[in-house]
Amino acid sequence: MFGLTARHGSLAIMAVGLLLAGCGSKGIHRAPVEDRGVGVSKPAAVAMDPNTPLVKQLPGFENAGKPGYYTVKPGDRMIRIGLDNGQSYKDIARWSNIDNPDRIEVGQVLRVVPPAGDAVVTKPVTQASATPMTTTTLPPASASKPAPAQPAAPSASPALPAGDEEIALIWPSNGAVSASFDEVKNKGLDISGKAGDAVLAAADGKVVYAGAGLRGYGNLIILKHNNTFLTAYAHNQTLLIKEDQSVRKGQKIAEMGSSDSDRVKLHFEVRRQGKPVDPAKYLPAK
């Protein structure tokens, strides 16, 4: 009887031992889960380190939002950025340390005002710098009747808004105005004419763009006259000047056409510090 009881006691002790071993095995299975949790927390701690960049920092990011800087948006071109800020796109590329103006990224920050000491004033053009083959001579001021192919020179400079640098424009074409300035729908004047009609520089200046890289403008010329004013001449058939060339007021710079347009016309814009303004306010009365 005592032996049976002892055997039952041993069996009970073995059962308790197995039960404790089973409980211990469950603890072993939980440990790896905890280890994995610790493993996940380590990358999270690294990501929160302020010295570890989370995204690619584009050139100039530290200047985003500051006056004199522009953040590139989808669809932007350097030519458009230059036109809208009253600058040469080449100057903007140089100020922003860009080797290839055709390669800019959305979010990149560009400098659109010159750094201190950078000379950007367009100097008066000397007679020798004009291109003889494409220069158009204006009639003398005393002439009673101007030559039919050329617009009449203004008798007096139009009044300019206070604070503007001085500029006196002439009409870039003899044609009639077919569409007036509208700040939203038409950022300049449309002047009618025939294919091949002369397009003239409205004032002395430097060619900061000549090409067809801006959608909606066709064969386009942009002239910089001083630190305040640009003029733009669009939809030309032929361009007669090149970038960085100096031109004189009245010089023939292009021939009228219909590039990127449904009809022959000259689209003429005046930009004051990059903002489109009504050219009629800067032109003599016809």
Side-chain angles (χ1 to χ4, degrees), residues 133-134 172-173 193-200 219-221 233-241 251-259 264-266:
M133 294 300 293
T134 60
S173 173
K194 303 186 301 295
D197 282 355
V199 175
L200 311 178
N219 293 323
L220 171 68
I221 291 173
Y233 312 74
H235 305 305
N236 300 289
Q237 173 179 274
T238 306
L239 305 182
L240 302 176
I241 43 77
Q251 179 177 334
K252 183 178 178 180
I253 58 175
E255 294 178 350
M256 193 181 295
S258 58
S259 57
V264 174
K265 65 179 180 181
L266 170 65

Side-chain angles (χ1 to χ4, degrees), residues 197-277:
D197 282 355
V199 175
L200 311 178
D204 291 356
K206 180 181 179 180
V207 183
V208 296
Y209 181 73
L214 193 57
R215 181 176 297 178
Y217 284 80
N219 293 323
L220 171 68
I221 291 173
I222 302 175
L223 301 182
K224 186 175 180 68
H225 303 291
N226 51 39
N227 285 329
T228 302
F229 288 100
L230 300 177
T231 53
Y233 312 74
H235 305 305
N236 300 289
Q237 173 179 274
T238 306
L239 305 182
L240 302 176
I241 43 77
K242 297 179 180 180
E243 288 182 13
D244 300 322
Q245 180 179 336
S246 295
V247 298
R248 290 187 62 86
K249 178 190 293 188
Q251 179 177 334
K252 183 178 178 180
I253 58 175
E255 294 178 350
M256 193 181 295
S258 58
S259 57
D260 211 357
S261 173
D262 58 356
R263 64 185 185 280
V264 174
K265 65 179 180 181
L266 170 65
H267 177 74
F268 176 64
E269 293 186 5
V270 175
R271 298 273 180 143
R272 178 180 177 270
Q273 296 178 343
K275 180 182 178 181
V277 292

Side-chain angles (χ1 to χ4, degrees), residues 12-271:
I13 292 171
M14 291 178 62
V16 171
L18 291 174
L19 180 61
L20 291 174
C23 292
S25 67
K26 291 182 181 179
I28 293 172
H29 286 303
R30 283 197 296 268
V33 175
E34 294 174 1
D35 290 343
R36 286 197 296 270
V38 173
V40 170
S41 65
K42 289 180 180 178
V46 173
M48 294 174 64
D49 185 349
N51 296 319
T52 302
L54 300 179
V55 294
K56 176 185 176 183
Q57 299 288 10
L58 295 174
F61 73 94
E62 68 279 5
N63 296 314
K66 294 181 182 179
Y69 292 87
Y70 176 82
T71 301
V72 177
K73 299 178 178 62
D76 274 346
R77 298 280 316 266
M78 283 289 286
I79 304 163
R80 167 67 74 179
I81 295 170
L83 182 63
D84 289 345
N85 287 277
Q87 306 290 355
S88 163
Y89 76 95
K90 290 183 178 179
D91 283 339
I92 293 176
R94 178 165 55 87
W95 300 333
S96 305
N97 297 315
I98 295 175
D99 295 328
N100 185 354
D102 293 328
R103 295 179 65 87
I104 55 176
E105 299 181 71
V106 174
Q108 187 172 353
V109 180
L110 308 177
R111 182 167 196 147
V112 293
V113 296
D118 193 281
V120 295
V121 177
T122 303
K123 297 180 179 179
V125 185
T126 61
Q127 182 65 38
S129 65
T131 305
M133 294 300 293
T134 60
T135 300
T136 302
T137 304
L138 291 176
S142 59
S144 58
K145 185 177 181 181
Q150 306 299 329
S155 56
S157 299
L160 298 178
D164 278 359
E165 294 186 52
E166 182 180 355
I167 190 169
L169 303 180
I170 64 169
W171 285 88
S173 173
N174 274 329
V177 174
S178 57
S180 299
F181 175 81
D182 183 287
E183 200 166 331
V184 177
K185 297 179 181 179
N186 192 34
K187 299 183 184 300
L189 298 178
D190 289 349
I191 303 173
S192 60
K194 303 186 301 295
D197 282 355
V199 175
L200 311 178
D204 291 356
K206 180 181 179 180
V207 183
V208 296
Y209 181 73
L214 193 57
R215 181 176 297 178
Y217 284 80
N219 293 323
L220 171 68
I221 291 173
I222 302 175
L223 301 182
K224 186 175 180 68
H225 303 291
N226 51 39
N227 285 329
T228 302
F229 288 100
L230 300 177
T231 53
Y233 312 74
H235 305 305
N236 300 289
Q237 173 179 274
T238 306
L239 305 182
L240 302 176
I241 43 77
K242 297 179 180 180
E243 288 182 13
D244 300 322
Q245 180 179 336
S246 295
V247 298
R248 290 187 62 86
K249 178 190 293 188
Q251 179 177 334
K252 183 178 178 180
I253 58 175
E255 294 178 350
M256 193 181 295
S258 58
S259 57
D260 211 357
S261 173
D262 58 356
R263 64 185 185 280
V264 174
K265 65 179 180 181
L266 170 65
H267 177 74
F268 176 64
E269 293 186 5
V270 175
R271 298 273 180 143

